[in-house]
Amino acid sequence: MAHHDHAHDGGACRDISHLLEGIKRFRQRFYEDNSELMHRLVDQGQSPPALVISCSDSRVDPTLLSDADPGQLFVVRNVANLVPPYDPAHHFDGAGAAIEYAVCHLKVDHIIVLGHAHCGGIKAMLGGAGGQWLQSDFIGNWVSMALDASRLQLSEKDAQGQPLLAPLERLKDNPALVERASVAGSLKNLMSYPWVRERVEAGNLVLHGWWFDLDSGDLWTTKPGGTQLMPVLD
């Protein structure tokens, strides 16, 4: 079927009618066969326990990955699952607005930053750091915020114990390390939001880093309060 093609040859646009069929099946499942959940979510409003900050990558959908039902995840998706530092002067910040709404109004208990292998945003950042920026209006500037965090996260210490920023070649040779370091950087940036830090320190909010390995289907996670990602054992 056309919608399973991985390459687009520049001809006619690919068929997406199967997506409409999927919505019909969703309606059948949640509105006709078992309508209690959706009616409750409409009548009582949403109260998701978790905010997920995920990459926009079509292969890594947090709801599909976690098999979540409607109402369980409040989701922010952007290129490379990045959290900008707290900056209320930056008026047009979709990530900041969603984080604020989830934390201050929905009062989520958890924030999960979900990264993944083979991330195009991280690849673009590494290429740009080597002087090969994509011709883009927005992408290069957006993903560049992951560079310093990654170099610092992967730094080593000099003889005086001061951090030496990781050399660019090491980063380019190990993109999975950079992807995981970028998740750690986003967790650090989350703590720059005063109402996030306040709730974390009060024990009302837990931050998590996740990294999904597209090659194997394995998930790496942090321990609560930490930034070091380790594989989840079966």
Side-chain angles (χ1 to χ4, degrees):
M1 295 178 65
H3 62 267
H4 287 148
D5 292 343
H6 293 291
H8 193 206
D9 59 10
C13 292
R14 287 166 285 183
D15 177 31
I16 59 167
S17 60
H18 62 292
L19 300 179
L20 298 175
E21 294 301 319
I23 292 176
K24 291 178 183 178
R25 290 191 296 273
F26 180 91
R27 185 181 65 188
Q28 177 74 40
R29 179 183 174 190
F30 286 106
Y31 285 85
E32 297 173 17
D33 295 344
N34 181 12
S35 62
E36 180 183 344
L37 172 61
M38 294 306 296
H39 285 164
R40 187 171 71 249
L41 289 171
V42 171
D43 293 342
Q44 300 178 13
Q46 62 171 326
S47 184
L51 160 67
V52 179
I53 300 165
S54 174
C55 188
S56 299
D57 193 296
S58 62
R59 300 164 294 183
V60 187
D61 184 304
T63 307
L64 282 174
L65 283 178
S66 62
D67 197 24
D69 282 336
Q72 292 185 321
L73 299 179
F74 191 81
V75 179
V76 178
R77 300 189 73 174
N78 62 44
V79 172
N81 43 270
L82 298 178
V83 176
Y86 177 72
D87 181 8
H90 187 191
H91 299 295
F92 301 106
D93 183 351
I99 295 165
E100 182 178 33
Y101 187 70
V103 171
C104 298
H105 297 276
L106 297 178
K107 302 192 184 305
V108 296
D109 302 315
H110 303 270
I111 301 178
I112 301 162
V113 178
L114 172 60
H116 67 97
H118 304 291
C119 181
I122 295 298
K123 181 179 180 181
M125 181 269 284
L126 291 172
Q132 299 173 325
W133 281 116
L134 292 172
Q135 291 297 314
S136 66
D137 293 329
F138 303 104
I139 297 171
N141 188 51
W142 173 256
V143 298
S144 67
M145 76 171 107
L147 179 59
D148 289 342
S150 299
R151 295 190 74 178
L152 187 60
Q153 186 74 18
L154 298 172
S155 66
E156 298 174 356
K157 297 288 198 292
D158 64 14
Q160 286 72 45
Q162 297 301 311
L164 291 169
L165 290 182
L168 183 58
E169 284 308 310
R170 182 182 170 216
L171 269 59
K172 293 177 76 172
D173 290 342
N174 298 277
L177 286 179
V178 180
E179 289 155 358
R180 296 194 287 268
S182 180
V183 169
S186 284
L187 291 173
K188 181 179 179 182
N189 282 349
L190 276 171
M191 290 295 283
S192 71
Y193 293 70
W195 20 267
V196 170
R197 175 177 286 276
E198 176 186 327
R199 285 164 172 78
V200 169
E201 292 179 346
N204 300 323
L205 180 64
V206 183
L207 306 187
H208 310 263
W210 289 5
W211 179 81
F212 182 71
D213 189 342
L214 275 175
D215 292 303
S216 65
D218 291 337
L219 182 70
W220 295 44
T221 67
T222 59
K223 292 182 178 179
T227 59
Q228 182 68 37
L229 284 149
M230 297 295 290
V232 176
L233 301 177
D234 293 334

